[in-house]
Amino acid sequence: MATIEDVARRAGVARSTVSYALSGKRSISRETRERIEAAITELGFTPNAGARALATSQTMVIGLFVQFFEDEFSPAMLQYVLPISDAAREAGYDILMVTESDGAHAVQRISSSGMVDGVMLLNVAYEDTRLPVMHKMRQPGAMVGLPRDPDGFDVFDLDFPESGRILVDHLAERGHREIILITPRGDVYERGGAYAWRFRDAALERAASYGIRVKSYFGETTQPAINQQLNEILDARQETAMIVHNDAVIAALPSVLYSRGIRVPDDLSVVGVFSEDFGRLFSLPYTAVETSPNKLGRLAVQALVQRMLSPEIATATRVELVPPHITDRGSTR
Amino acid sequence: MATIEDVARRAGVARSTVSYALSGKRSISRETRERIEAAITELGFTPNAGARALATSQTMVIGLFVQFFEDEFSPAMLQYVLPISDAAREAGYDILMVTESDGAHAVQRISSSGMVDGVMLLNVAYEDTRLPVMHKMRQPGAMVGLPRDPDGFDVFDLDFPESGRILVDHLAERGHREIILITPRGDVYERGGAYAWRFRDAALERAASYGIRVKSYFGETTQPAINQQLNEILDARQETAMIVHNDAVIAALPSVLYSRGIRVPDDLSVVGVFSEDFGRLFSLPYTAVETSPNKLGRLAVQALVQRMLSPEIATATRVELVPPHITDRGSTR
DNA sequence: CTGAAAGCGCTTACAG
DNA sequence: CTGAAAGCGCTTACAG
């Protein structure tokens, strides 16, 4: 591999001149620049990223920490990863994707060895074990998902309480007085998936204010348990509407309803919480709160990039709950 | 951040001694080692990855190049990414995941800057534009998916021709004489997704040898086109069996069949090509060739790691077509 | 407008 | 068993 030294020799200049030609940090005479450019082309020179990182203390890499839980539905994750990767690249950063099950250890390992300029967390739990490590590392951090202690980070999340409320409002306006609510699985609550109870508590409270009765179930996440549970729920059903806040359940819902001959919205009103892409993937004909993974991912990257560029704001805390928006697919009475 | 110099000073030894204590590449007296270890703990020292990479020419990072095509079904991709990431970590490597749409440029950029020790390609096309770059780069490469010119790389793929044959055999043995075949979308052929025609050609040839008539369709990949096409195919159907080699179509199939009252296998035999995880995700009750993304991903990583460790084999070519295996879910006559 | 040199934080022959 | 020093390939004050 050609080094900057090779280029300098070939162009008959000093290494520093080549470096400045590359960075544009000082003006170079036309002639010199052309000789350097020619040499670079002829030698096929690309600066070595490791050497550059060592000299500048900048790797131009963002660490993306993803956790996969057995009890969660994986396709949703990709919706965040892709926009994050794209947004990072647009800002000139590459993505080191880390999927180790011991997330705290992974963050520690990657941040302390200086492999990345910033850390991005996905699938954040309320008491996330990665947060203590994040607080001590020298790089700035951002995340999608609201933890208990977001101090010093950029945090983006859907406004889940408001999501719960507007779905209840939507059904209340249409006269429903008894509602089924299917939530994430119980484990998610125990693990501290804040989105689960933030959504549910707000929905229950709003329903109570209307005098609406809500029957709440922890949804399953794997087959055949999903279908079995749905059938049991539907066997016992007296309610006229259903709110589903569980990706795996809503993905399975159309076939279960078909098989039972339950028509939506004539026999049952259904609303959910999922992204447009997710809905398209599973052909879901249900009105839903859009979860905007795309938007959340991009916002988080942009905020993180800002933070990496200006250490002054490195200690500020920014929590942004994106307002929910209902996509009406006509699945309610 | 503490450096190796800080540790050396604190332990009262030379930098080199600390380095050797870290790597274990020469014996250190008990006392000295203990002093060094204490210093490391007290200072919270972790070697700087960039400096190490510069000194050793090893980054311990694998570049994973993923392409997302509009006309392909994304959830399948994650099934490869996860096992690859896990297998890499087990071997001591991290994953730089690159999703740029210009794959050739991305490989060029990452490999020439020395950010990775090896390159892994996913979603490989027959005439993959990334291959020419791969042939010129200095790092070893591996891929999942068979290109026209695999020279010098480790290539792993499902044996698609054999997959097509055993599915035809499976239906032939059960007496089917007329079969519907739904393939990937036409674009995939044009783009050079070899798995598409390798599977189809072999299936058609085997069917011909039995005197079985096959009606072949390019499947759609997005709703509502999928359902519409399926309905048209089923309206015109005279066949007794269906082979589906298209993720998006098979994911949508259960609800279409439900809605038309077509029972499997009583009214129609159905077989597909998908992984166990994929089948679980979409609750697919169909007999299928297992695509083993898990196995393919891990094999490719292991081969790549071998290659990175022993430059002697760096020029060898290894093409491994994993024999297909049918998972019988009772969806045929 | 350009060069010579120090320094980033490691590893590894070379010496003893 | 341990140290002093060169070198990996860049960037950036410092000088002119």
Side-chain angles (χ1 to χ4, degrees):
Chain A
M1 272 292 102
T3 71
I4 200 171
E5 172 69 40
D6 301 327
V7 174
R9 197 162 25 210
R10 177 144 193 158
V13 298
R15 292 208 312 276
S16 52
T17 306
V18 178
S19 178
Y20 284 118
L22 244 29
S23 67
K25 286 191 181 170
R26 76 180 182 192
S27 43
I28 311 274
S29 77
R30 217 182 104 93
E31 282 183 48
T32 310
R33 192 177 342 104
E34 282 171 359
R35 281 215 313 286
I36 291 175
E37 277 163 11
I40 287 177
T41 313
E42 288 160 20
L43 296 171
F45 168 73
T46 314
N48 178 280
R52 181 172 273 179
L54 185 56
T56 61
S57 305
Q58 285 212 340
T59 62
M60 300 308 282
V61 174
I62 290 173
L64 177 61
F65 295 81
V66 190
Q67 293 181 300
F68 289 89
F69 297 111
E70 289 270 331
D71 57 347
E72 272 177 346
F73 201 57
S74 57
M77 193 57 59
L78 202 62
Q79 303 181 87
Y80 292 91
V81 172
L82 236 50
I84 285 173
S85 173
D86 291 343
R89 187 83 282 279
E90 285 163 26
Y93 290 86
D94 284 300
I95 293 288
L96 192 82
M97 191 181 78
V98 188
T99 60
E100 273 176 83
S101 54
D102 186 347
H105 179 257
V107 172
Q108 169 67 38
R109 183 172 65 80
I110 300 290
S111 69
S112 66
S113 66
M115 296 180 78
V116 301
D117 293 342
V119 168
M120 180 92 168
L121 254 43
L122 242 43
N123 215 333
V124 173
Y126 193 62
E127 297 284 356
D128 203 291
T129 55
R130 300 171 295 184
L131 262 288
V133 181
M134 295 273 287
H135 281 114
K136 281 183 195 143
M137 71 188 184
R138 60 180 182 285
Q139 295 94 337
M143 58 200 74
V144 176
L146 180 64
R148 183 181 57 72
D149 178 11
D151 275 21
F153 302 117
D154 286 304
V155 176
F156 296 87
D157 206 355
L158 180 67
D159 187 338
F160 279 100
E162 185 59 17
S163 301
R165 286 189 287 266
I166 66 175
L167 286 181
V168 169
D169 287 350
H170 185 89
L171 294 175
E173 285 162 15
R174 284 158 182 77
H176 296 279
R177 313 302 300 163
E178 311 213 338
I179 299 177
I180 295 168
L181 170 61
I182 301 185
T183 74
R185 209 165 83 168
D187 318 35
V188 176
Y189 290 81
E190 286 157 27
R191 193 175 64 232
Y195 64 95
W197 52 259
R198 287 199 293 138
F199 178 93
R200 186 185 64 177
D201 292 355
L204 292 179
E205 189 183 328
R206 178 59 60 99
S209 80
Y210 286 122
I212 291 177
R213 244 190 36 205
V214 178
K215 184 113 185 60
S216 177
Y217 300 87
F218 294 123
E220 293 290 338
T221 352
T222 52
Q223 291 290 12
I226 297 173
N227 280 16
Q228 188 186 328
Q229 181 192 33
L230 273 175
N231 278 309
E232 284 167 12
I233 292 173
L234 293 168
D235 282 342
R237 152 172 102 92
Q238 315 211 332
E239 296 80 1
T240 57
M242 184 182 249
I243 298 177
V244 182
H245 180 210
N246 182 311
D247 289 343
V249 169
I250 199 132
L253 191 58
S255 75
V256 172
L257 293 180
Y258 261 129
S259 70
R260 300 180 63 103
I262 297 177
R263 291 159 309 167
V264 173
D266 300 351
D267 304 328
L268 180 69
S269 290
V270 174
V271 294
V273 184
F274 53 82
S275 72
E276 199 185 327
D277 284 342
F278 187 88
R280 192 174 317 115
L281 184 58
F282 290 95
S283 308
L284 302 180
Y286 311 126
T287 294
V289 163
E290 166 64 43
T291 55
S292 310
N294 217 291
K295 185 176 179 183
L296 289 169
R298 296 195 84 91
L299 280 173
V301 168
Q302 284 156 9
L304 184 59
V305 168
Q306 283 304 315
R307 229 171 246 260
M308 293 187 292
L309 296 178
S310 41
E312 317 88 69
I313 56 167
T315 54
T317 304
R318 174 178 174 197
V319 175
E320 195 167 326
L321 299 183
V322 174
H325 171 74
I326 285 191
T327 304
D328 195 330
R329 298 187 177 87
S331 64
T332 50
R333 205 249 298 219
Chain B
M1 272 293 104
T3 71
I4 199 172
E5 172 70 42
D6 300 328
V7 175
R9 194 161 27 211
R10 178 141 191 160
V13 297
R15 291 209 312 277
S16 51
T17 306
V18 177
S19 178
Y20 284 117
L22 244 29
S23 67
K25 286 190 182 172
R26 76 179 183 193
S27 45
I28 311 275
S29 75
R30 216 181 104 92
E31 283 184 45
T32 310
R33 191 175 347 102
E34 283 172 357
R35 280 215 313 286
I36 292 175
E37 277 162 10
I40 288 177
T41 313
E42 287 160 20
L43 296 170
F45 167 73
T46 313
N48 179 280
R52 180 173 275 178
L54 185 56
T56 61
S57 306
Q58 285 212 339
T59 62
M60 300 308 282
V61 174
I62 291 173
L64 177 61
F65 295 82
V66 191
Q67 292 181 302
F68 289 89
F69 297 110
E70 289 270 332
D71 58 346
E72 271 176 348
F73 202 58
S74 57
M77 193 56 60
L78 202 62
Q79 303 181 87
Y80 292 91
V81 172
L82 236 49
I84 285 172
S85 173
D86 290 342
R89 188 80 281 281
E90 285 163 25
Y93 290 85
D94 283 299
I95 293 288
L96 192 81
M97 190 181 79
V98 188
T99 61
E100 273 177 84
S101 53
D102 186 345
H105 179 256
V107 172
Q108 170 67 37
R109 183 172 65 78
I110 300 290
S111 68
S112 66
S113 65
M115 294 180 80
V116 301
D117 293 343
V119 168
M120 180 92 169
L121 254 44
L122 242 42
N123 215 332
V124 172
Y126 193 62
E127 298 283 357
D128 203 292
T129 56
R130 299 170 296 183
L131 262 288
V133 182
M134 295 273 287
H135 280 114
K136 282 183 195 141
M137 70 189 186
R138 61 180 181 286
Q139 296 95 336
M143 57 200 74
V144 176
L146 180 65
R148 184 181 56 73
D149 178 9
D151 274 21
F153 302 118
D154 286 303
V155 176
F156 296 86
D157 205 355
L158 180 66
D159 187 338
F160 279 100
E162 184 60 17
S163 302
R165 286 189 287 268
I166 67 175
L167 287 180
V168 170
D169 288 348
H170 185 87
L171 295 174
E173 284 163 15
R174 284 159 182 76
H176 296 280
R177 312 303 302 164
E178 311 213 339
I179 299 177
I180 295 169
L181 170 61
I182 302 185
T183 73
R185 211 165 81 169
D187 318 36
V188 176
Y189 290 82
E190 288 158 27
R191 194 174 63 229
Y195 64 95
W197 51 261
R198 287 201 291 140
F199 179 92
R200 188 186 60 177
D201 293 355
L204 292 180
E205 190 183 327
R206 177 60 60 100
S209 79
Y210 286 123
I212 291 177
R213 242 188 42 206
V214 178
K215 184 114 184 60
S216 176
Y217 300 89
F218 294 124
E220 294 290 338
T221 352
T222 51
Q223 291 292 11
I226 297 172
N227 280 16
Q228 189 186 328
Q229 183 192 31
L230 273 175
N231 278 308
E232 284 166 13
I233 292 173
L234 292 168
D235 283 342
R237 153 172 99 93
Q238 314 210 332
E239 296 80 2
T240 56
M242 184 182 249
I243 299 177
V244 182
H245 180 209
N246 182 313
D247 289 344
V249 169
I250 200 134
L253 192 57
S255 75
V256 172
L257 293 181
Y258 262 129
S259 70
R260 300 180 64 103
I262 297 177
R263 292 159 307 166
V264 173
D266 300 352
D267 304 328
L268 179 70
S269 289
V270 174
V271 294
V273 184
F274 54 82
S275 72
E276 198 185 327
D277 284 344
F278 187 88
R280 193 175 315 116
L281 184 57
F282 290 95
S283 308
L284 302 181
Y286 310 127
T287 294
V289 163
E290 166 65 44
T291 55
S292 311
N294 218 289
K295 185 176 177 182
L296 289 170
R298 296 195 84 89
L299 280 173
V301 169
Q302 284 155 9
L304 184 58
V305 169
Q306 284 303 315
R307 229 172 244 260
M308 294 187 292
L309 296 179
S310 42
E312 317 90 67
I313 58 167
T315 54
T317 304
R318 173 178 175 196
V319 174
E320 195 168 326
L321 299 183
V322 173
H325 171 75
I326 286 192
T327 303
D328 195 330
R329 298 187 178 88
S331 64
T332 50
R333 213 239 314 210

